[in-house]
Amino acid sequence: MSISFGGIGEVAVTFMTSGDVKKGNVVKVTGNGTVAVCGASDRFCGVVLNVSDDGYATVQLRGYMKAKYSGTEPAVGFNVATAGGADNVTVSADGEGGEILVLDIDKTDKVIGFYM
């Protein structure tokens, strides 16, 4: 048997995109049914799973997901995080942001697995 975190409470939603949204980006809601990539320190709503050629993105809002991290290395357990930019998350220095539960950390590739 092996450890698996995927599939628990996953919620994915299709949004229209604004700007250059790519698979793996952390995104925020910017309008009715629309998401865009986050800038540094933005509170993110999820991670993009897929982007269609016609401007739609499937975004995972809840469940176990993975993203790159920047800045201070997160700790396993509860962290407050914001976007570090379009393609990564960062531990919030000022306590602002959303709570995530970090379950695993790949220090070599700077990727965390977390539940949100």
Side-chain angles (χ1 to χ4, degrees):
M1 183 176 275
S2 64
I3 296 172
S4 175
F5 300 119
I8 300 172
E10 286 183 359
V11 174
V13 178
T14 301
F15 289 93
M16 291 184 293
T17 60
S18 175
D20 190 22
V21 176
K22 296 179 181 151
K23 181 179 179 178
N25 284 155
V26 291
V27 292
K28 60 185 176 182
V29 176
T30 57
N32 290 338
T34 305
V35 293
V37 295
C38 288
S41 300
D42 284 344
R43 186 163 178 177
F44 62 97
C45 70
V47 176
V48 177
L49 299 176
N50 192 26
V51 179
S52 70
D53 292 334
D54 56 350
Y56 291 90
T58 303
V59 179
Q60 185 173 349
L61 302 176
R62 297 284 175 259
Y64 177 78
M65 55 193 95
K66 290 190 173 215
K68 293 182 179 186
Y69 69 87
S70 61
T72 303
E73 182 179 295
V76 172
F78 287 100
N79 291 259
V80 175
T82 61
D87 67 347
N88 65 81
V89 299
T90 188
V91 174
S92 175
D94 59 9
E96 295 293 320
E99 189 172 67
I100 62 173
L101 175 59
V102 175
L103 301 174
D104 55 274
I105 303 169
D106 177 343
K107 296 178 184 180
T108 303
D109 293 328
K110 296 190 105 180
V111 173
I112 57 171
F114 61 97
Y115 187 85
M116 192 168 110

